[in-house]
Amino acid sequence: MTRNLPVLSPVFVLLACMFAVPAIAQAPSGAERQQELLRIWYEIREGIAESGDVDAKYDVGVANFIARGTQQDKDSAATWFQRAADRGHAGAHYYLGYIYAAGDGREADPVKSQEHYLRAAELGHADAQYLIGIRYANGEGLRRDSAEAAKWMSRAADKGVAGAQYYMGQLREMGQPGEVRPDTAAAVRLYREAANQGHVPAQNRLGELYLGGRGGIRRDLEEAFLWFSLAENQDRVDEISRRMSRGQLAAANDRLEAHLAELSP
């Protein structure tokens, strides 16, 4: 005997479709949510920038330059950086220095690049101060001037730029006739600040100073082992290891582990 299936009313079918959960629906991925948040952030910052806020002008410039929350548009980025630079924004001057140096967003113009880098340095931008210091030291686009180089490097070093700290460490270690008296202890402090940021030449220089015990610095194989290890200078590490007793080597490794733990966030 065949049973007839009940005929569903059109209303029932419609309700069933309305309340059914689609099997293929998926929540936005984390990356998609992040992009949407960045897009909203950009729209907000752009509105604030249009109202005159100088930091927002800079932020919008960066966003256009690196495609954060908007499509990459380096021409627009340069325009926003110029607007911020006209209001004395150091970071905007620094970006413009790069843009005119590389011809990336504007036609290359070494003169304009130098002007923007120098203005950024004068406004306190640490990386610009370091760059200007290098240019004075090497005579790149600026006359060679050791006093000016030391002035800008010292300012960058005070702001924590590792390369500048290393430069000033060399200056204090070697001295400069008529200008800077050699001071190895001061040099070690500067090298250490740079080395703790992972600056390999500074790490190696500390290793050499502690290995040789020169300039009033006490010879310390464990300390030399530490810095050469951080610099991954295996030849020096092996050399020192052969000169240490088992106890000294164990202590040196303990010191290395303790130092790495201190540097860990």
Side-chain angles (χ1 to χ4, degrees):
M1 178 178 177
T2 303
R3 297 182 61 185
N4 294 326
L5 294 174
V7 178
L8 299 178
S9 72
V11 175
F12 184 89
V13 173
L14 178 61
L15 290 172
C17 291
M18 288 176 60
F19 290 100
V21 178
I24 60 172
Q26 294 181 350
S29 68
E32 289 170 335
R33 288 195 298 271
Q34 179 68 15
Q35 287 303 312
E36 179 61 16
L37 289 172
L38 285 173
R39 185 188 64 77
I40 295 169
W41 168 86
Y42 177 81
E43 290 178 355
I44 293 170
R45 292 305 281 170
E46 187 179 38
I48 297 172
E50 292 286 6
S51 71
D53 185 274
V54 65
D55 289 326
K57 293 178 191 291
Y58 172 74
D59 288 345
V60 172
V62 173
N64 276 278
F65 198 83
I66 66 173
R68 177 192 294 163
T70 187
Q71 292 184 344
Q72 188 175 62
D73 185 341
K74 292 186 177 180
D75 180 69
S76 291
T79 298
W80 281 109
F81 286 138
Q82 187 63 61
R83 292 177 183 177
D86 290 343
R87 296 276 302 280
H89 195 286
H93 277 292
Y94 185 74
Y95 253 105
L96 287 169
Y98 167 78
I99 285 170
Y100 282 112
D104 193 10
R106 287 287 186 271
E107 186 177 349
D109 188 328
V111 174
K112 283 187 177 180
S113 173
Q114 191 78 282
E115 289 173 352
H116 283 293
Y117 278 137
L118 186 57
R119 186 59 182 143
E122 291 169 346
L123 289 168
H125 194 283
D127 289 331
Q129 291 171 338
Y130 175 57
L131 184 147
I132 293 298
I134 289 175
R135 292 187 173 184
Y136 271 118
N138 298 332
E140 297 174 1
L142 294 167
R143 72 186 187 282
R144 190 185 297 272
D145 188 325
S146 59
E148 281 294 305
K151 179 184 81 174
W152 291 110
M153 286 293 192
S154 179
R155 292 179 183 181
D158 289 344
K159 290 184 174 69
V161 178
Q165 291 167 339
Y166 177 68
Y167 179 94
M168 293 304 297
Q170 290 181 304
L171 186 61
R172 296 309 302 271
E173 182 183 357
M174 306 300 177
Q176 201 168 73
E179 295 181 20
V180 180
R181 180 178 58 84
D183 185 340
T184 308
V188 166
R189 288 193 294 271
L190 286 158
Y191 286 145
R192 190 180 295 272
E193 289 175 0
N196 282 334
Q197 296 186 67
H199 194 277
V200 174
Q203 292 168 341
N204 274 310
R205 190 62 197 143
L206 281 172
E208 295 293 349
L209 286 170
Y210 282 110
L211 179 61
R214 296 188 297 275
I217 301 302
R218 180 176 60 86
R219 186 169 178 268
D220 188 333
L221 291 182
E222 292 180 16
E223 195 73 7
F225 178 94
L226 165 68
W227 294 112
F228 283 132
S229 295
L230 291 171
E232 298 183 357
N233 189 337
Q234 196 58 48
D235 289 341
R236 281 302 206 197
V237 170
D238 292 342
E239 175 189 342
I240 295 170
S241 297
R242 289 192 293 269
R243 296 162 64 177
M244 300 172 95
S245 67
R246 288 185 179 180
Q248 287 177 314
L249 187 56
N253 277 300
D254 287 344
R255 187 183 297 189
L256 174 61
E257 291 181 8
H259 187 84
L260 290 171
E262 289 177 6
L263 295 179
S264 298

